[in-house]
């Protein structure tokens, strides 16, 4: 097939600027071929090169004594969890593909992040996701949303959740936590951020390097097709109806059963020591895997495309190199050990082919039937994409945001209906319609299921990849793992059972209204959710979802958001181990709200420290850690609040301020109290404020499928500051946690919290069949079965319409 001539229009269609094209010519010393143009276009896309955000990403804290593989080094970061064990984790987006083909877009997003984890030598043990859609109810659509848009939002939600469930359930990985938000800004621009965590020993860390001159290069996995063609480039441009239709082929098609075989084969292969390097063919497919592995090792790589298994006839070199067909891996094998590799691939019934060799040229050379079609310097292709320092300008809308005052909205006179509306608002309501489609118990390692502040999993002996000569003997009935090791008659203890907590958080409304403060809050809430579960943070992975960086107002959001994230991660000692930047999340109607999703992983020292959000026993005391109201905030916590959006249809006002040092003191104090054994439940106060947090603590304990433990409470807030009723009950001031303790320990816990520098107030008692709240303005009561029905059924009822 004759390749097209390289014209200015063709360069533009590849999303490259004239200046970038000139740089390519300088690197090559000539004009690129058509295939080379495609190779540069995907590798220099924002999705692969971070050319618009790299200077900002360098400001993140990325070091700690526990980090074994840091941000940007490999496919995922790895953190030590003690006793020779480590966890690998990362979050990535699949936003544009999910907008075009929600089922396959979301499914392959899960598949891609799973591959990032087992590529590191870790066994994937759990998945998490963060999802954003347009409104699915007329009440939440600001009144002006056509029914057709609401129907489309429901279609996208159903497709995305179905895709995540399909891939995770078939692969056999539990989806244990997540978040789902609904806002008109995501209409047509859903966000699908997928997280995966895996487990390995320190000595099992694999590297994505094409090391060892003369080592053979193997392709393993299904044949390459035309699906997913140039997906990385598609994800690096604005989403329009025209681009979506044109790029429908850029959405990959996944096969979770094949991925399971590839995972097991790769982990077995890594255990043999025959592997010199391994990389998955994710974004940019064969292009990315070849040039990046060579660049990391300062070597070259040469491959022959006629040896690449191909699913479609007459595929061109351009199509083969840019295809993002799923479940494929590139494996660099130590020379002389090829037969071991072939035996393992054939054992798992996997297609494979030896397609190339590691060279000392420093170049990525691609041949097709012996003819050179790509010859480029590997390191310059992988690492020398242009870096831009974009103009940043404060958005005009922030002037009206800061000008907003509470005089513009009336206070509540009766909060009963407001709590009912908030608890049934899809962004606050139970997400059981979503997570009941996921298998969150497969592998039997889930300790705290979806529905509490954070998920908790235990690292079982069969979660750790096998090592030759070591046979897992299991746990000893307590919390110690034992192994059968060579030259030992009896199993020996190799470490305590590990308990890992995971959460994902971001209130994008806050970030829209104040990118710096809102991003600090996102990190603080993640750390607070971990603390409420009994965990101290280990590290963070982030997914930065924003609009077009060429818009100075959008780039201001990005810059200020990164500044807030970096500052907060330093304070909480939760370094960034890696992540993903997803830009161009906008359509002709505008950009999404800036959404820097934060996934944070923490370690729980003992199983006795695991804490959940629901009230436990009648007669327990309810204690508020932190102040009921932040009187220093002119908006009393109502800026950007759920109450302001649901009751008044206003998304405005400066969000609550976030004092990171005070937040850190609060989290450390809570953990100290949990370690004493006095805390029975802990739940952070976030969207919806104190009243929603109390309601959730009363109604969220599911004891069996279809059965719930609804536990009432009486809470007296009459000693709180005399402020607006909506601010007291539904304001979202930061740094507040609702805990319950036995009545006998209440005084002790309050005094101990104060000694630790945290305000604490005994505000109520657990018990009864209703939630009752008393304030200076009056006393109100809510029937628990009604609240539960509204909360539990809100999303399901909307999806059945």
């Amino acid at each position: 097939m004759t390749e097209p001539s390289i014209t200015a229009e063709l360069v533009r269609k590849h999303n490259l600027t004239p200046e970038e094209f000139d740089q390519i010519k300088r690197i090559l010393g000539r004009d690129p071929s058509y295939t080379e143009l495609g190779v540069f276009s995907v590798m220099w896309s924002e999705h692969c090169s971070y050319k618009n955000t790299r200077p900002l990403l360098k400001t993140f804290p990325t070091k700690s004594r526990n980090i074994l593989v840091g941000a940007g080094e490999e496919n995922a970061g790895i953190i030590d969890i003690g006793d020779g064990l480590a966890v690998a984790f990362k979050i990535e987006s699949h936003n544009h593909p999910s907008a075009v083909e929600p089922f396959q877009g979301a499914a392959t997003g899960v598949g891609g992040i799973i591959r990032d984890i087992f590529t590191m030598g870790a066994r994937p043990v759990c998945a998490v996701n963060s999802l954003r859609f347009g409104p699915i109810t007329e009440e939440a659509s600001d009144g002006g949303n056509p029914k057709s848009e609401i129907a489309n939002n429901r279609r996208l939600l159903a497709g995305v959740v179905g895709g995540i469930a399909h891939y995770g359930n078939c692969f056999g990985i539990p989806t244990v936590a997540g978040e789902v938000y609904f806002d008109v800004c995501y209409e047509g621009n859903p966000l699908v951020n997928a997280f995966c965590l895996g487990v390995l020993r320190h000595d099992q860390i694999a590297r994505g390097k094409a090391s060892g001159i003369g080592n053979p290069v193997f392709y393993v996995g299904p044949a390459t097709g035309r699906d997913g063609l140039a997906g990385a480039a598609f994800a690096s441009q604005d989403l329009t109806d025209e681009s979506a239709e044109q790029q429908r082929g850029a959405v990959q098609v996944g096969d979770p059963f094949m991925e399971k075989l590839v995972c097991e084969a790769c982990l077995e292969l890594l255990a043999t020591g025959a592997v010199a390097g391994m990389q998955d063919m994710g974004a940019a497919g064969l292009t990315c895997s070849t040039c990046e592995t060579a660049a990391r090792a300062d070597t070259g790589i040469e491959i022959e495309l006629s040896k690449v298994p191909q699913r479609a006839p007459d595929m061109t070199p351009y199509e083969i190199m840019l295809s993002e067909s799923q479940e494929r891996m590139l494996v660099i094998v130590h020379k002389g050990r090829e037969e071991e590799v072939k035996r393992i691939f054939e054992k798992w019934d996997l297609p494979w082919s030896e397609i190339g060799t590691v060279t000392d040229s420093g170049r990525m050379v691609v041949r097709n039937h012996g003819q050179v079609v790509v010859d480029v310097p590997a390191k310059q292709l992988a690492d020398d994409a242009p870096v831009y320092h974009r103009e940043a300008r404060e958005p005009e809308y922030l002037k009206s945001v800061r000008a907003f005052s509470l005089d513009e909205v009336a206070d509540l006179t009766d909060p009963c209906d407001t709590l009912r509306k908030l608890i049934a608002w899809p962004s606050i309501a139970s997400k059981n319609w979503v997570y009941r489609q996921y298998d969150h118990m497969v592998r039997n390692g889930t300790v705290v299921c979806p529905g509490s502040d954070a998920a908790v999993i235990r690292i079982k002996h069969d979660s750790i990849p096998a090592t030759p000569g070591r046979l897992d003997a299991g746990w000893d009935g307590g919390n110690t793992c034992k192994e059968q090791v060579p030259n030992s008659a009896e199993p020996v203890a190799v470490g305590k059972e590990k308990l890992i907590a995971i959460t994902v958080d971001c209130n994008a409304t806050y970030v829209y209204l104040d990118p710096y403060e809102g991003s600090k809050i996102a990190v603080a809430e993640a750390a607070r959710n971990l603390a409420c579960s009994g965990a101290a943070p280990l590290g963070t992975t982030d997914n930065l979802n924003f609009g077009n960086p060429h818009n100075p107002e959008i780039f201001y959001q990005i810059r200020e958001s990164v500044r807030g994230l970096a500052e907060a991660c330093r304070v909480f000692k939760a370094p960034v181990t890696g992540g993903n930047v997803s830009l161009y999340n906008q359509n002709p109607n505008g950009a999404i709200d800036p959404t820097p999703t934060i996934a944070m992983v923490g370690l729980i020292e003992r199983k006795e420290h695991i804490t959940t959000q629901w009230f436990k026993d009648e007669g327990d005391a309810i204690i508020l850690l932190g102040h009921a109201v932040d009187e220093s905030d002119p908006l009393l916590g109502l800026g950007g609040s759920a109450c302001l959006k649901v009751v008044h249809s206003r998304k405005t006002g400066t969000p609550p301020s976030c004092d990171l040092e005070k937040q850190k003191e609060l989290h450390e104090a809570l953990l100290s109290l949990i370690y004493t054994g006095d805390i029975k439940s802990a739940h952070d106060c976030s969207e919806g404020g104190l009243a929603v947090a109390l309601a959730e603590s009363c109604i969220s304990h599911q004891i069996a499928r279809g059965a719930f433990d609804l536990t009432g409470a009486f809470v007296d807030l009459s000693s709180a500051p005399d402020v607006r009723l909506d601010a007291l009950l539904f304001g979202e001031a930061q740094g507040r946690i609702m805990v319950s303790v036995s009545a006998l320990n209440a005084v002790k816990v309050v005094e101990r919290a104060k000694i630790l520098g945290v305000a604490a107030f005994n505000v109520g008692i657990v018990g009864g069949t209703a939630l009752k709240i008393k304030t200076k303005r009056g006393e109100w009561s809510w029937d628990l079965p009604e609240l539960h029905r509204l909360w539990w059924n809100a999303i399901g009822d909307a999806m059945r319409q």
Side-chain angles (χ1 to χ4, degrees), residues 295-318:
R296 291 192 190 112
D298 288 319
T299 59
I301 194 166
E302 185 168 325
I303 61 172
E304 170 55 60
L305 294 184
S306 64
K307 296 182 179 180
V308 173
Q310 297 165 41
R311 190 163 67 241
D314 302 320
M315 289 188 68
T316 66
Y318 181 98

Side-chain angles (χ1 to χ4, degrees), residues 66 79-87 199 202 459 498 500 538 603:
N66 293 323
I79 290 187
D80 174 29
I81 59 172
D83 297 307
L85 298 179
V87 288
V199 184
H202 292 190
I459 307 303
K498 303 298 178 181
I500 302 295
L538 285 170
L603 182 66

Side-chain angles (χ1 to χ4, degrees), residues 75 126 149 525 737:
N75 295 283
C126 72
E149 291 294 344
E525 183 176 357
I737 297 173

